[in-house]
Amino acid sequence: MSILIRNGRIVTAESDYQADIFIEGEYITAIGQALPFQAEREIDASGLLVFPGGIDPHVHLDMPFMGTFSSDDYTTGTKAALHGGTTMVIDFILQTQRDTLRSALTTWQQKANGKAVADYSYHMAVTDFNDAVAKEVVQMIEEEGITSFKTFMAYKGALMIDDGQMVELMKVVREHGGLVTVHATNGDMIDALIARHRAEGKLSPLYHYLSQPEVTEAEASGRFCDMLHYTGCPGYIVHMTCEGALNAVRKAAQRDQKVFVETCSQYLVLDASLYEKDFEGAKWVMSPPLREKKDQKALWSGINQGLVQVVGTDHCPFKWEQKKMGENDFSRIPNGHPAIEHRMELMFTEGVRTGKISLNKFVEVTSTNAAKIFGMHPRKGTITVGGDADLVIFNPEKKHTISVDTHHMNVDYSAYEGWELTGKCETVLLRGDVAIENGQCLLAPGSGQFIRRGKTSLII
Ligand code: URP
Ligand code: ZN
Ligand code: ZN
């Protein structure tokens, strides 16, 4: 199949120009003005933006967590992602403590094989590190193309590793060209605050927020940076929410360390006042929690300062019935919220249209930097001859409203109900196939491919 996209305004992280794009099979084979080619299909993109398919490097699909499973599986989650202009996701494999990375990989392959509609890769979460796991880390990098290793400094007893294990993991990962990523919050402090609030009968969602004050994230982020400094390993902090944590990274940058930072769209546009809505606040119970307006400001500035390189979602949806597991105790509310579908359009409306970030920066943080950091550039994350034809044709003036009635995620409420957006992903291409058109997904489960990743690029 060949496709010719005519007259779009092509926006990448570095450029912004008018041209045609010629696609043959899965790849872009020519870019230029008035291309003299015949294609099986022509798409007129006059007046529209064309940017690289979004990459969301932080999603949880069909994940066992807090006694239940996140409600989007690989089919519903990646389909919703495509509707929102995200053509690739990176999900998290969770090692079961006292079990192998290999068996966790097999479990996640079964979740995705034949089911993914968009492309995907995995981070491997190491929840139990020892000499045998160290060997498997090398296998993951060299044989499986899984080059990033997730760690948790919280969720003790299920996912957390201690600092001794962290340092040993960092040494192996550094030696083999990978990247250590982290959920950086101080698990012991948080567990103590949760226990105190429960003992005092403070059980509403507000106390989820009050059990994870800013210092818990700032302290752990600083500690993680110090361990990276000691081992010489490159690192990536996921879902950063606050000024204090960002300042810890600022300090690391001053000593020339490479610590990448991801924030998520919710931390840029929502704040902790939502926890004052009694049990409805459970919709936004996530870890770390939403923060304050001053933190939103720090994060937007951090993006423009180059301290925050990536905006993901931490998409981890639960249906209302699942959230109600914590109706009488905030510590039993499954953590996470549905967002995979809205990231690109929210960032365009709230970031680009308000003048907080440029269009180029928008592409950089929603696609290009993730492709570079996670070893997929320039195949993904840009618009270039030879690259995958993962493209979004975007109408910057189209107004629409987020609602549970129209979203495609498998969840029975919206965390953004009634939010008005200007700018819509009208047509989305995945490796040369039209994936989304006229509000419909045209691809079947199994269209999404596992993408083997290379080593981390430290130059972004
Ligand atoms: O609340 C969250 N973030 N749920 C998913 C697990 C995690 O910590 O990322
Ligand atoms: Zn996390
Ligand atoms: Zn997460």
Side-chain angles (χ1 to χ4, degrees):
M1 172 84 179
S2 58
I3 298 180
L4 186 52
I5 302 174
R6 287 270 187 219
N7 283 320
R9 178 178 162 195
I10 299 175
V11 184
T12 69
E14 309 83 22
S15 55
D16 187 338
Y17 58 103
Q18 205 83 25
D20 302 340
I21 300 175
F22 189 55
I23 297 160
E24 291 173 284
E26 299 193 344
Y27 306 107
I28 295 170
T29 54
I31 302 174
Q33 277 161 6
L35 288 178
F37 300 139
Q38 290 283 331
E40 285 156 81
R41 164 114 199 247
E42 253 191 54
I43 298 175
D44 181 11
S46 308
L48 304 177
L49 308 178
V50 183
F51 47 73
I55 299 172
D56 187 343
H58 193 151
V59 306
H60 301 280
L61 303 176
D62 196 8
M63 179 179 76
F65 193 51
M66 296 184 73
T68 185
F69 283 80
S70 56
S71 60
D72 266 318
D73 64 10
Y74 269 78
T75 298
T76 61
T78 57
K79 205 187 263 193
L82 285 169
H83 276 281
T86 290
T87 50
M88 173 162 183
V89 300
I90 313 184
D91 189 17
F92 293 83
I93 297 176
L94 302 182
Q95 176 197 15
T96 301
Q97 292 182 332
R98 291 174 291 285
D99 200 352
T100 60
L101 302 188
R102 177 67 52 188
S103 101
L105 173 60
T106 304
T107 303
W108 259 261
Q109 285 169 332
Q110 283 160 0
K111 290 174 190 285
N113 279 350
K115 291 189 83 177
V117 189
D119 285 354
Y120 64 97
S121 176
Y122 303 122
H123 307 284
M124 175 61 74
V126 176
T127 64
D128 195 3
F129 186 76
N130 53 44
D131 289 347
V133 172
K135 292 198 179 82
E136 289 197 280
V137 163
V138 182
Q139 286 170 11
M140 291 298 144
I141 296 174
E142 305 296 345
E143 296 168 21
E144 304 297 340
I146 297 172
T147 53
S148 48
F149 297 87
K150 172 76 180 294
T151 59
F152 292 89
M153 296 170 85
Y155 305 123
K156 201 171 191 165
L159 301 173
M160 179 170 153
I161 56 171
D162 65 30
D163 292 350
Q165 291 177 306
M166 179 75 89
V167 164
E168 293 308 311
L169 171 66
M170 284 177 175
K171 287 183 190 163
V172 180
V173 170
R174 179 189 61 88
E175 200 183 324
H176 294 274
L179 182 72
V180 173
T181 81
V182 71
H183 170 124
T185 62
N186 183 319
D188 286 338
M189 275 178 81
I190 292 167
D191 287 346
L193 284 167
I194 291 173
R196 176 143 64 80
H197 287 135
R198 292 177 75 210
E200 291 170 355
K202 295 170 174 166
L203 298 170
S204 71
L206 176 65
Y207 290 93
H208 169 79
Y209 166 61
L210 295 174
S211 298
Q212 300 202 33
E214 180 174 4
V215 62
T216 59
E217 191 178 336
E219 185 281 329
S221 300
R223 184 157 35 104
F224 179 72
C225 290
D226 288 345
M227 290 187 281
L228 291 175
H229 188 237
Y230 171 67
T231 57
C233 186
Y236 177 102
I237 302 179
V238 307
H239 56 38
M240 187 176 283
T241 69
C242 60
E243 190 182 12
L246 200 55
N247 285 340
V249 172
R250 215 181 292 277
K251 189 179 133 203
Q254 278 161 6
R255 58 187 180 200
D256 273 347
Q257 263 186 268
K258 201 79 236 179
V259 185
F260 300 111
V261 174
E262 164 202 287
T263 188
C264 298
S265 34
Q266 61 270 26
Y267 299 121
L268 292 162
V269 304
L270 303 176
D271 68 70
S273 60
L274 290 166
Y275 298 122
E276 284 154 22
K277 289 173 173 261
D278 295 323
F279 192 68
E280 198 197 339
K283 289 179 185 169
W284 301 280
V285 163
M286 62 186 82
S287 291
L290 300 173
R291 303 276 185 208
E292 307 294 323
K293 294 262 189 249
K294 62 109 185 150
D295 298 299
Q296 290 181 356
K297 256 184 145 165
L299 292 171
W300 284 113
S301 303
I303 288 175
N304 282 318
Q305 291 159 357
L307 273 177
V308 177
Q309 293 86 7
V310 175
V311 177
T313 59
D314 193 8
H315 175 73
C316 190
F318 296 99
K319 292 189 173 177
W320 193 240
E321 214 38 51
Q322 295 174 287
K323 286 281 184 183
K324 275 167 63 180
M325 291 162 66
E327 206 161 18
N328 301 314
D329 177 355
F330 71 87
S331 71
R332 296 188 194 283
I333 300 170
N335 287 199
H337 97 310
I340 203 167
E341 190 166 347
H342 303 314
R343 177 184 67 127
M344 306 284 284
E345 291 169 352
L346 269 176
M347 288 301 293
F348 185 81
T349 296
E350 299 300 325
V352 178
R353 290 195 74 92
T354 59
K356 289 191 182 77
I357 56 171
S358 70
L359 252 181
N360 299 107
K361 185 58 95 173
F362 164 82
V363 173
E364 199 184 311
V365 298
T366 57
S367 179
T368 313
N369 282 347
K372 288 181 177 174
I373 293 168
F374 294 111
M376 299 179 284
H377 189 267
R379 174 177 178 187
K380 302 242 180 235
T382 191
I383 297 179
T384 190
V385 170
D388 282 2
D390 296 343
L391 299 168
V392 178
I393 303 176
F394 190 81
N395 183 340
E397 302 302 333
K398 178 92 178 249
K399 293 189 190 307
H400 57 118
T401 305
I402 297 178
S403 172
V404 62
D405 299 328
T406 48
H407 76 199
H408 300 85
M409 300 173 288
N410 183 33
V411 60
D412 51 0
Y413 60 87
S414 173
Y416 302 87
E417 189 66 40
W419 198 292
E420 289 181 6
L421 297 170
T422 303
K424 178 134 190 70
C425 303
E426 285 194 334
T427 307
V428 179
L429 276 74
L430 174 69
R431 279 180 287 99
D433 282 330
V434 177
I436 302 292
E437 193 171 45
N438 300 321
Q440 300 299 315
C441 181
L442 306 181
L443 297 183
S447 305
Q449 274 182 10
F450 173 73
I451 304 296
R452 288 175 68 87
R453 295 187 283 114
K455 300 194 175 175
T456 297
S457 160
L458 298 183
I459 319 279
I460 66 164

mmCIF file of all heavy atoms in Angstrom, residues 58 60 150 152 155 182-184 238-239 287-288 314, ligand 2:
data_model
loop_
_atom_site.group_PDB
_atom_site.id
_atom_site.type_symbol
_atom_site.label_atom_id
_atom_site.label_comp_id
_atom_site.label_asym_id
_atom_site.label_seq_id
_atom_site.Cartn_x
_atom_site.Cartn_y
_atom_site.Cartn_z
ATOM 1 N N HIS A 58 4.778 5.188 29.616
ATOM 2 C CA HIS A 58 4.375 4.795 30.975
ATOM 3 C C HIS A 58 2.900 4.417 30.987
ATOM 4 O O HIS A 58 2.026 5.273 31.214
ATOM 5 C CB HIS A 58 4.648 5.939 31.958
ATOM 6 C CG HIS A 58 4.546 5.515 33.386
ATOM 7 N ND1 HIS A 58 5.263 6.122 34.397
ATOM 8 C CD2 HIS A 58 3.821 4.552 33.999
ATOM 9 C CE1 HIS A 58 4.977 5.545 35.549
ATOM 10 N NE2 HIS A 58 4.082 4.580 35.330
ATOM 11 N N HIS A 60 0.088 0.994 32.115
ATOM 12 C CA HIS A 60 -0.099 -0.298 32.797
ATOM 13 C C HIS A 60 -1.346 -0.953 32.213
ATOM 14 O O HIS A 60 -2.470 -0.524 32.501
ATOM 15 C CB HIS A 60 -0.283 -0.093 34.300
ATOM 16 C CG HIS A 60 0.874 0.600 34.960
ATOM 17 N ND1 HIS A 60 2.037 -0.052 35.308
ATOM 18 C CD2 HIS A 60 1.053 1.895 35.340
ATOM 19 C CE1 HIS A 60 2.875 0.802 35.888
ATOM 20 N NE2 HIS A 60 2.303 1.996 35.911
ATOM 21 N N LYS A 150 12.828 -1.077 35.518
ATOM 22 C CA LYS A 150 12.044 -0.242 36.441
ATOM 23 C C LYS A 150 12.293 -0.705 37.869
ATOM 24 O O LYS A 150 12.350 -1.910 38.142
ATOM 25 C CB LYS A 150 10.564 -0.391 36.084
ATOM 26 C CG LYS A 150 9.592 0.245 37.061
ATOM 27 C CD LYS A 150 9.543 1.752 36.910
ATOM 28 C CE LYS A 150 8.568 2.397 37.884
ATOM 29 N NZ LYS A 150 7.178 2.045 37.652
ATOM 30 N N PHE A 152 11.173 0.201 42.116
ATOM 31 C CA PHE A 152 10.224 0.872 42.996
ATOM 32 C C PHE A 152 10.902 1.128 44.330
ATOM 33 O O PHE A 152 11.433 0.198 44.951
ATOM 34 C CB PHE A 152 8.977 -0.003 43.230
ATOM 35 C CG PHE A 152 8.113 -0.183 42.010
ATOM 36 C CD1 PHE A 152 8.349 -1.226 41.117
ATOM 37 C CD2 PHE A 152 7.058 0.694 41.746
ATOM 38 C CE1 PHE A 152 7.544 -1.396 39.988
ATOM 39 C CE2 PHE A 152 6.254 0.528 40.625
ATOM 40 C CZ PHE A 152 6.495 -0.521 39.742
ATOM 41 N N TYR A 155 5.932 0.663 47.806
ATOM 42 C CA TYR A 155 5.154 -0.574 47.679
ATOM 43 C C TYR A 155 5.947 -1.749 48.275
ATOM 44 O O TYR A 155 6.198 -2.770 47.617
ATOM 45 C CB TYR A 155 4.784 -0.898 46.221
ATOM 46 C CG TYR A 155 4.043 0.168 45.429
ATOM 47 C CD1 TYR A 155 4.556 0.662 44.231
ATOM 48 C CD2 TYR A 155 2.802 0.656 45.854
ATOM 49 C CE1 TYR A 155 3.877 1.619 43.477
ATOM 50 C CE2 TYR A 155 2.118 1.619 45.095
ATOM 51 C CZ TYR A 155 2.662 2.089 43.921
ATOM 52 O OH TYR A 155 1.990 3.025 43.173
ATOM 53 N N VAL A 182 12.775 4.646 37.756
ATOM 54 C CA VAL A 182 12.362 4.521 39.162
ATOM 55 C C VAL A 182 11.037 5.209 39.469
ATOM 56 O O VAL A 182 10.734 6.272 38.927
ATOM 57 C CB VAL A 182 13.462 5.087 40.090
ATOM 58 C CG1 VAL A 182 13.552 6.607 39.997
ATOM 59 C CG2 VAL A 182 13.245 4.672 41.558
ATOM 60 N N HIS A 183 10.268 4.545 40.309
ATOM 61 C CA HIS A 183 9.163 5.179 41.038
ATOM 62 C C HIS A 183 9.821 5.681 42.322
ATOM 63 O O HIS A 183 10.130 4.896 43.219
ATOM 64 C CB HIS A 183 8.073 4.142 41.322
ATOM 65 C CG HIS A 183 6.994 4.606 42.256
ATOM 66 N ND1 HIS A 183 5.652 4.591 41.913
ATOM 67 C CD2 HIS A 183 7.038 5.072 43.524
ATOM 68 C CE1 HIS A 183 4.934 5.046 42.928
ATOM 69 N NE2 HIS A 183 5.751 5.342 43.926
ATOM 70 N N ALA A 184 10.090 6.991 42.377
ATOM 71 C CA ALA A 184 10.909 7.546 43.445
ATOM 72 C C ALA A 184 10.041 8.194 44.518
ATOM 73 O O ALA A 184 9.724 9.383 44.455
ATOM 74 C CB ALA A 184 11.898 8.561 42.869
ATOM 75 N N VAL A 238 10.320 8.270 36.768
ATOM 76 C CA VAL A 238 8.986 8.279 36.161
ATOM 77 C C VAL A 238 8.052 9.184 36.971
ATOM 78 O O VAL A 238 8.342 9.540 38.109
ATOM 79 C CB VAL A 238 8.379 6.849 36.063
ATOM 80 C CG1 VAL A 238 9.322 5.893 35.361
ATOM 81 C CG2 VAL A 238 7.976 6.311 37.436
ATOM 82 N N HIS A 239 6.987 9.540 36.386
ATOM 83 C CA HIS A 239 5.866 10.303 36.961
ATOM 84 C C HIS A 239 6.263 11.305 38.054
ATOM 85 O O HIS A 239 5.750 11.289 39.159
ATOM 86 C CB HIS A 239 4.732 9.394 37.428
ATOM 87 C CG HIS A 239 5.019 8.303 38.422
ATOM 88 N ND1 HIS A 239 5.885 8.426 39.468
ATOM 89 C CD2 HIS A 239 4.483 7.048 38.536
ATOM 90 C CE1 HIS A 239 5.882 7.314 40.177
ATOM 91 N NE2 HIS A 239 5.047 6.457 39.628
ATOM 92 N N SER A 287 -0.414 7.284 42.613
ATOM 93 C CA SER A 287 0.829 7.521 43.349
ATOM 94 C C SER A 287 1.966 7.850 42.400
ATOM 95 O O SER A 287 2.183 7.099 41.460
ATOM 96 C CB SER A 287 1.211 6.275 44.149
ATOM 97 O OG SER A 287 0.276 6.099 45.185
ATOM 98 N N PRO A 288 2.674 8.962 42.649
ATOM 99 C CA PRO A 288 2.385 9.976 43.659
ATOM 100 C C PRO A 288 1.052 10.666 43.363
ATOM 101 O O PRO A 288 0.553 10.606 42.243
ATOM 102 C CB PRO A 288 3.554 10.963 43.517
ATOM 103 C CG PRO A 288 4.566 10.303 42.639
ATOM 104 C CD PRO A 288 3.876 9.280 41.850
ATOM 105 N N ASP A 314 1.166 7.364 32.822
ATOM 106 C CA ASP A 314 0.967 6.410 33.916
ATOM 107 C C ASP A 314 -0.463 5.882 33.873
ATOM 108 O O ASP A 314 -1.101 5.703 34.915
ATOM 109 C CB ASP A 314 1.277 7.064 35.269
ATOM 110 C CG ASP A 314 1.403 6.043 36.385
ATOM 111 O OD1 ASP A 314 1.401 4.834 36.097
ATOM 112 O OD2 ASP A 314 1.498 6.463 37.556
HETATM 113 ZN ZN ZN B 2 4.766 4.469 40.059
#
